[in-house]
Amino acid sequence: GRVPTNEIMIVNSMIRKLIGEQMDSKIPDAIRIGIQEGMVDFNENLRQLVDRGDIDRTTALEFAPNPEQLKMALKGIKVAAPLRVVRDRTSQLGVLVAEGMKHAIAGAQVGMTNAGGVRAELPAGDLIFRQVFEVLPFDNRVVGLKLTGAQLKSFVLAPLASGHGFPQLAGAKLTLDEAAAQGARLELADGMAVKDDQTYLLATNDFLANGGDGTKALMDTVAKDRRQAPNILVRDAFIDYLKTLPQPVSAPEACPIP
């Protein structure tokens, strides 16, 4: 469709020519090129006004042509380098998503997302809502689970055992060793092994908490009073966590794998 004229803050000769000749399809590219010449879209102009204190956030969102995009821009999140999707091992993006859930549940020691829930890579640059939605397109919500160490191990290993990819963990590390008697070792971030008879608080998504990716047999044994559901979308928890990090956001130091 035609680009609204209020999206063009400064009209150069090229834009004027395209408008005059009704070459609408070429206007968006011309606007993007013209950013270097001082042209900005209306959302960006509103962001700059808020940053300078000329208008408040509520007013800016009221007049924004794309409020969700402006909300993201006002958060000021930038990504240093692309974070790619990896499902057969630990990935930087998977860890960041798991960290978001872990920080959304007070006192959680471990965060976990399923590999299949992370659907697209996160490109470098200013983060926009559409990119987050592509990474986390499902409306999954964060759930806290109080589990014994034995249950936690079973939960973490369930997606892997059922062929649904490597569990993406925050606050814990899973090491597979086929030569060992147990075949896997789960330890917390401090290096302490998870003990079967101790209780741990896990932050995960409702898909896994409701039995998805092979967790059903275990979750059928977990009492309802052992779970908490704060009604927080996983993507919102992810965004809120990224906002707390130094900008631009870099890959987790403990996770060198893409």
Side-chain angles (χ1 to χ4, degrees):
R2 191 178 184 92
V3 176
T5 55
N6 71 338
E7 288 291 295
I8 304 169
M9 296 295 102
I10 300 174
V11 179
N12 61 17
S13 58
M14 175 59 71
I15 296 294
R16 190 176 294 110
K17 180 176 183 296
L18 293 175
I19 293 174
E21 296 179 2
Q22 297 188 353
M23 300 175 68
D24 296 1
S25 63
K26 295 184 178 181
I27 292 177
D29 286 337
I31 291 174
R32 283 189 285 270
I33 294 171
I35 287 175
Q36 301 304 321
E37 301 174 14
M39 293 170 53
V40 293
D41 67 32
F42 195 40
N43 266 354
E44 174 59 18
N45 187 256
L46 289 170
R47 185 194 67 78
Q48 293 175 5
L49 291 173
V50 172
D51 286 348
R52 292 202 303 263
D54 295 335
I55 61 173
D56 60 46
R57 177 189 174 94
T58 301
T59 302
L61 291 172
E62 179 182 352
F63 288 97
N66 188 330
E68 289 298 332
Q69 182 187 61
L70 180 57
K71 284 180 185 178
M72 285 299 302
L74 290 173
K75 290 180 184 294
I77 300 172
K78 299 178 184 292
V79 179
L83 299 173
R84 296 179 175 84
V85 177
V86 181
R87 296 196 174 99
D88 61 352
R89 60 191 186 278
T90 299
S91 74
Q92 296 164 343
L93 185 53
V95 170
L96 288 172
V97 173
E99 284 283 6
M101 291 189 290
K102 178 173 173 285
H103 281 73
I105 298 292
Q109 296 136 297
V110 181
M112 174 178 161
T113 190
N114 51 313
V118 182
R119 307 298 295 183
E121 74 171 43
L122 202 61
D126 294 330
L127 190 63
I128 61 176
F129 182 77
R130 175 179 56 79
Q131 294 166 340
V132 177
F133 193 88
E134 289 172 351
V135 172
L136 299 166
F138 309 115
D139 289 337
N140 293 125
R141 284 169 165 75
V142 182
V143 174
L145 297 173
K146 282 188 177 181
L147 304 174
T148 66
Q151 289 174 325
L152 179 59
K153 291 176 185 176
S154 295
F155 190 94
V156 168
L157 289 170
L160 188 61
S162 58
H164 290 99
F166 199 89
Q168 304 297 304
L169 299 170
K173 178 182 178 182
L174 176 64
T175 304
L176 302 179
D177 185 357
E178 295 180 0
Q182 299 299 322
R185 175 181 171 83
L186 183 64
E187 58 186 35
L188 299 179
D190 60 6
M192 296 293 292
V194 171
K195 297 182 178 180
D196 289 351
D197 58 351
Q198 288 192 6
T199 300
Y200 301 88
L201 180 56
L202 168 71
T204 188
N205 59 54
D206 54 1
F207 172 73
L208 290 173
N210 291 335
D213 279 5
T215 64
K216 186 177 187 307
L218 169 66
M219 291 310 302
D220 284 346
T221 69
V222 177
K224 291 183 179 180
D225 64 0
R226 305 288 284 180
R227 62 187 287 163
Q228 54 178 290
N231 197 29
I232 300 171
L233 286 169
V234 172
R235 75 173 71 95
D236 288 344
F238 178 58
I239 291 169
D240 289 344
Y241 174 65
L242 294 184
K243 188 178 178 182
T244 69
L245 299 176
Q247 302 296 320
V249 174
S250 299
E253 292 182 3
C255 183
I257 302 171

